[in-house]
Amino acid sequence: MLATAVAEKNAYQVALENFDLAADALELDDSVRAMIKYPERVLTVSVPVRMDTGQIVRFEGYRVQHSTTRGPAKGGIRYHPNVTVDEVKALATWMTWKCAVVNIPFGGGKGGVTCNPKTMSMGELERLTRRYASAILPLIGPDKDIPAPDVYTTPQVMAWIMDTYSMNMGYPVHGVVTGKPISLGGSLGRNEATGRGVYYTVLASCDHLGVPVQGARVVVQGFGNAGSIAAHLLDSAKAVVIAASDSTIAIYNRHGLDIPKLIMHKERTGSLRGFPAAEEITPKELLATECEILIPAALENAITEENAGEVRARIIAEAANGPVTPEADRILDRRSVFLIPDILCNAGGVTVSYFEWVQDENHLFWDEQDVNLKLERVMTRAFRDVLRIHVDRKVSMRLAANILGIGRVAEAVKIRGLYP
Ligand code: NAD
């Protein structure tokens, strides 16, 4: 495992810290703050799984609903050895603000199981998923809380959750999860949506800053779903992806990595290791590589006060959730690095999840071009809304996005009359 992205800073503390900054800027009074700051529900579950050896192992899982003020809770499920309840609370909180930034009618939720899926067989993963889905069943449903994929969960995992939920209801319920396989009510374009949304916000940032996309050097930390697709789209737009990493290795080629081949290599071997025409660098060097666009697309706390001073990028596009700590934010801000904050940058995933849910509920499916056009419209509008606050109020892009998202949640609380 690479050391850079291990969560040293408690992600939930980061979320609370960022909440207070935005609430101060919005001059929210104490009763509104109290209503929208903390999760509505936090569920911890035991997930006993019969392993292939016959032994039964107990895993711990979580589902957090941070807010249902603007609509059903919405958020992914993460399978990772470092999952903690505080991490899930942070991710659920960010989902609330993210859905509000792109203005879709969802609240925020998140789930996770502390496990190492890389060491588990498909059978073990299926049994873990079905047991976890059964344990969180009272909370989820198409009108209550709708999970989706996150780190190390896949469309197949979503299909098992949909099946487990449907067996319990006695009829098929497609809208209970998004990010499903297309053959099971998934949406065209959903698999690529997070990376595509990152791409649209990077294009908008380049346009705003006058940075030509053609020839722009790109560095990607975390070559998974979000990172590899953003890299692929930028490569197609004639940017040059010079470095990339996954949990096993970081690689570099100053003339540019062959991205279609790198994606095939990762699919075939499960790792970036062994890719020809690239030299190995350290994870630390990767984040310090001189470039126009740096895309942290792995886990939280990749850029901290320790390494923020070494970043040599013009733009940081937060494909991951919470990759930059508040201390690092301040350092990067002073150094005039333009940040596309996570709740804006990676909101393409939840936006197309929303489209998937709409299609499932209406039993009417759209073509891919339609999905992508609608996504582009949502992402571009959200980017403009955040940028306007950034410019008008002279605040960082992070604070601008939080002001927009948290402001909309506060508004909804007041209008619903939940506010005394
Ligand atoms: P994924 O499982 O597809 O990919 C994660 C990648 O990160 C893998 O290639 C893994 O090897 C790599 N990785 C893990 N630890 C690393 C480390 N320490 N250094 C470098 N690379 C490392 O996951 P994903 O869905 O692409 O999610 C990545 C990030 O994007 C997460 O923060 C997730 O919350 C966020 N995100 C994902 C979506 C989505 O729809 N998939 C939506 C919004 C946000």
Side-chain angles (χ1 to χ4, degrees):
M1 264 308 258
L2 303 182
T4 43
V6 173
E8 290 123 12
K9 175 128 189 166
N10 182 309
Y12 188 51
Q13 292 307 323
V14 172
L16 295 180
E17 219 173 292
N18 280 324
F19 175 88
D20 288 336
L21 291 173
D24 288 348
L26 286 160
E27 298 179 6
L28 295 183
D29 65 45
D30 286 347
S31 28
V32 174
R33 284 178 199 234
M35 292 196 62
I36 66 174
K37 184 170 178 176
Y38 304 104
E40 287 173 14
R41 290 191 183 91
V42 180
L43 177 68
T44 301
V45 295
S46 265
V47 187
V49 178
R50 186 178 298 281
M51 308 304 277
D52 292 345
T53 57
Q55 188 199 6
I56 293 181
V57 174
R58 175 190 173 274
F59 296 89
E60 197 154 281
Y62 312 96
R63 185 72 193 170
V64 174
Q65 294 176 349
H66 174 261
S67 170
T68 54
T69 299
R70 299 180 75 256
K74 184 85 192 79
I77 289 171
R78 180 174 290 193
Y79 288 174
H80 193 277
N82 294 345
V83 165
T84 62
V85 69
D86 269 5
E87 181 185 52
V88 180
K89 279 158 75 177
L91 292 163
T93 307
W94 290 326
M95 285 306 297
T96 302
W97 308 345
K98 188 184 301 180
C99 292
V101 163
V102 282
N103 217 358
I104 57 176
F106 283 141
K110 204 81 181 190
V113 179
T114 315
C115 64
N116 187 354
K118 288 187 179 176
T119 61
M120 297 171 72
S121 68
M122 280 296 269
E124 289 168 342
L125 275 177
E126 177 172 357
R127 293 192 288 279
L128 173 108
T129 301
R130 290 186 182 280
R131 189 66 192 230
Y132 169 69
S134 300
I136 64 166
L137 204 94
L139 290 198
I140 61 174
D143 298 317
K144 299 199 292 188
D145 183 353
I146 307 138
D150 191 73
V151 174
Y152 299 157
T153 50
T154 57
Q156 175 63 74
V157 170
M158 295 306 115
W160 290 327
I161 297 177
M162 182 262 171
D163 184 59
T164 305
Y165 186 86
S166 299
M167 283 195 303
N168 279 275
M169 301 308 284
Y171 52 89
V173 187
H174 294 100
V176 65
V177 281
T178 59
K180 296 180 295 294
I182 303 297
S183 55
L184 207 62
S187 175
L188 292 168
R190 172 60 185 93
N191 189 48
E192 298 77 21
T194 303
R196 185 170 281 279
V198 171
Y199 169 69
Y200 291 140
T201 60
V202 167
L203 293 192
S205 304
C206 287
D207 186 44
H208 167 66
L209 299 167
V211 173
V213 178
Q214 190 167 351
R217 292 162 300 172
V218 180
V219 171
V220 181
Q221 183 211 36
F223 205 72
N225 173 285
S228 69
I229 286 161
H232 184 53
L233 290 168
L234 284 164
D235 179 66
S236 307
K238 307 242 178 315
V240 187
V241 183
I242 56 172
S245 69
D246 65 9
S247 62
T248 62
I249 193 170
I251 58 173
Y252 173 79
N253 182 333
R254 72 188 172 95
H255 301 296
L257 299 162
D258 186 327
I259 295 302
K261 282 194 181 147
L262 189 61
I263 290 174
M264 280 193 298
H265 179 84
K266 171 96 179 167
E267 268 169 16
R268 206 176 52 245
T269 67
S271 156
L272 300 185
R273 190 168 285 284
F275 186 68
E279 61 182 276
E280 180 170 353
I281 55 173
T282 66
K284 194 168 159 15
E285 285 167 338
L286 177 117
L287 292 171
T289 302
E290 189 178 346
C291 61
E292 277 66 48
I293 301 154
L294 171 61
I295 307 181
L299 298 170
E300 298 90 70
N301 299 338
I303 302 172
T304 64
E305 60 194 318
E306 272 159 42
N307 60 1
E310 293 162 19
V311 167
R312 288 186 293 159
R314 179 78 188 86
I315 297 168
I316 294 182
E318 289 187 322
N321 286 304
V324 179
T325 63
E327 296 77 18
D329 268 350
R330 288 188 273 277
I331 296 168
L332 295 168
D333 213 30
R334 273 202 304 276
R335 300 182 55 224
S336 301
V337 177
F338 187 81
L339 181 94
I340 316 172
D342 47 8
I343 61 169
L344 168 65
C345 188
N346 68 35
V350 75
T351 301
V352 177
S353 273
Y354 165 57
F355 297 162
E356 179 174 331
W357 178 77
V358 169
Q359 293 170 79
D360 285 338
E361 294 288 279
N362 289 287
H363 312 285
L364 184 66
F365 289 85
W366 314 340
D367 63 33
E368 190 165 355
Q369 204 187 5
D370 223 11
V371 171
N372 291 346
L373 267 174
K374 285 185 167 72
L375 172 64
E376 184 174 11
R377 217 174 292 145
V378 169
M379 295 305 296
T380 314
R381 188 190 56 213
F383 182 86
R384 265 204 320 266
D385 289 347
V386 173
L387 188 69
R388 192 173 310 121
I389 298 173
H390 164 68
V391 172
D392 290 354
R393 289 193 178 227
K394 297 187 175 49
V395 295
S396 70
M397 283 290 283
R398 166 105 51 223
L399 184 52
N402 290 341
I403 287 173
L404 181 64
I406 293 167
R408 282 184 175 150
V409 179
E411 191 62 29
V413 162
K414 289 182 197 173
I415 289 171
R416 273 185 65 168
L418 297 172
Y419 178 55

